[in-house]
Amino acid sequence: MVRKHINIPVFIPGAACPGTCIFCDQRGITGRLEMPSHREVIRCIEERLSTIDFRDHSVELAFFGGTFTGLDVEMQQSYLRMAVPYLEKGMIHGIRISTRPDMITPAILDMLKAFRVTTIELGAQSMDDDVLLNSGRGHTASDTVKASEMVRNAGFSLGLQMMTGLPGDTRLKTMLTAQKIISLGAGEVRIYPVVVIRNTPLATLFLQGKYMPLSLDEAVSRTKDLVILFEQAAVRVIRMGLHPSEGLISGSELVAGPFHPAFGALVLTAIWSDILSPLLLKEGYGGDIVIYVPKGELTGAIGHRAANKTMLQNKYRRVSFLTDDALTGRLFRVDRL
């Protein structure tokens, strides 16, 4: 039996980050700025474990939101050490951290290995040096290549994070970044369309008319193409769009850009819209149809706010969706009643 993967997220703000990225504001993105106390981390672990059967799930304690390996080594170890009792009891099966490509060294990897870190996510953001320079990242694409090789050679699972819509980025550059991420051997990826956060240099550029974010439709379209490309290469897409923090949902931290609290659902809706649209080309007006899709794909097939079902109801009198365990991937079949 394949265990379902679950992360227990702990958000570490960018205390150790150089702070040069023009798009970033930790408070606006994560909803917090203070470092979590040990008591908070333990409470987070305990509360999450109480809601799941860890015997049926692969559980990682995940330190997100900042540059973990840029923290003082003693602070890194103090956070990692909190997972030890749960690792020894088999309640947590590994630790995941996120960091910058230019903050990976052999000594750091040795320390992380000793504390049973299993997955390292690197914030690549782009594999185009001009885009990285325009965005104030402070590292190059070659830094990401070197760090990725070091992480994989040391036996860690590699995750990479990318953005689309950065200053100087294009659809072509976005796709080339994805192809390079695939070539680096990433097992998983996160995709973040750029949004303009208040009190960032990017917000200033936007207000000066020097930067224009992607529209929501364009962000969904680009991400749709990325998802298909990654899936074809067996790279798991584990996140699409920013986590919907209170500041982003309320708009208090959001200036502009393609933020949507259900961005991933919009992307899956678009993928299934392309798959199902040939049904609209069938000759004549349809009667009743039942569309069978793989288990786990039902929500995407129906679409966000039933968008795909509504699309098909323009041609067919009645449209129903059911699952079929025999179907895999995004195959489907149709019964006409």
Side-chain angles (χ1 to χ4, degrees), residues 229-261:
L229 180 63
F230 283 128
E231 288 183 345
Q232 290 172 344
V235 178
R236 290 184 298 120
V237 178
I238 58 176
R239 181 78 200 178
M240 294 176 276
L242 286 174
H243 176 77
S245 69
E246 182 178 342
L248 291 176
I249 293 174
S250 68
S252 63
E253 299 291 344
L254 181 66
V255 176
F259 172 75
H260 192 286

Side-chain angles (χ1 to χ4, degrees), residues 48-321:
R48 191 69 181 94
L49 287 176
S50 70
T51 66
I52 61 174
D53 185 347
F54 57 85
R55 295 166 296 185
D56 294 332
H57 295 81
S58 173
V59 182
E60 282 185 323
L61 177 62
F63 292 101
F64 289 143
T67 305
F68 189 84
T69 59
L71 297 172
D72 179 83
V73 172
E74 291 185 2
M75 182 176 289
Q76 292 182 56
Q77 293 177 348
S78 69
Y79 278 122
L80 296 172
R81 197 172 286 117
M82 283 184 278
V84 171
Y86 304 97
L87 288 164
E88 291 178 344
K89 295 175 183 178
M91 302 172 74
I92 290 176
H93 308 104
I95 303 173
R96 170 186 298 257
I97 63 107
S98 63
T99 191
R100 290 170 56 95
D102 53 349
M103 290 192 174
I104 291 290
T105 66
I108 286 173
L109 294 177
D110 287 343
M111 186 272 291
L112 296 177
K113 179 72 73 174
F115 279 91
R116 295 171 63 179
V117 170
T118 42
T119 304
I120 297 177
E121 293 189 36
L122 301 176
Q125 314 315 358
S126 175
M127 295 300 291
D128 184 283
D129 282 336
D130 288 337
V131 173
L132 292 172
L133 182 63
N134 292 341
S135 304
R137 278 297 288 171
H139 68 80
T140 64
S142 65
D143 290 325
T144 300
V145 172
K146 294 174 185 176
S148 296
E149 292 174 349
M150 291 171 63
V151 167
R152 291 190 64 225
N153 290 339
F156 296 93
S157 296
L158 172 66
L160 289 172
Q161 303 167 6
M162 67 169 293
M163 304 179 78
T164 183
L166 289 166
D169 193 23
T170 63
R171 179 181 282 264
L172 175 60
K173 289 182 178 182
T174 287
M175 298 306 291
L176 290 174
T177 287
Q179 291 169 359
K180 290 179 181 178
I181 284 175
I182 291 168
S183 71
L184 291 175
E188 55 194 34
V189 66
R190 298 177 191 268
I191 305 168
Y192 297 117
V194 178
V195 297
V196 182
I197 304 296
R198 199 172 306 281
N199 299 322
T200 62
L202 191 62
T204 300
L205 291 177
F206 170 75
L207 295 173
Q208 293 174 344
K210 298 178 181 178
Y211 170 78
M212 182 60 63
L214 301 178
S215 67
L216 182 59
D217 286 346
E218 175 63 15
V220 169
S221 176
R222 286 193 189 186
T223 306
K224 176 193 70 173
D225 291 347
L226 290 170
V227 169
I228 293 170
L229 180 63
F230 283 128
E231 288 183 345
Q232 290 172 344
V235 178
R236 290 184 298 120
V237 178
I238 58 176
R239 181 78 200 178
M240 294 176 276
L242 286 174
H243 176 77
S245 69
E246 182 178 342
L248 291 176
I249 293 174
S250 68
S252 63
E253 299 291 344
L254 181 66
V255 176
F259 172 75
H260 192 286
F263 184 80
L266 296 181
V267 174
L268 295 177
T269 296
I271 291 173
W272 271 101
S273 176
D274 289 348
I275 293 170
L276 296 173
S277 58
L279 293 175
L280 298 174
L281 303 178
K282 301 291 184 181
E283 293 184 5
Y285 181 80
D288 297 352
I289 61 170
V290 179
I291 300 172
Y292 293 88
V293 299
K295 186 177 180 180
E297 292 290 335
L298 185 63
T299 300
I302 294 172
H304 181 63
R305 296 188 175 180
N308 292 334
K309 183 174 182 179
T310 300
M311 172 186 73
L312 293 171
Q313 284 174 334
N314 290 325
K315 179 176 179 64
Y316 298 94
R317 182 175 59 192
R318 183 177 301 168
V319 179
S320 301
F321 286 84

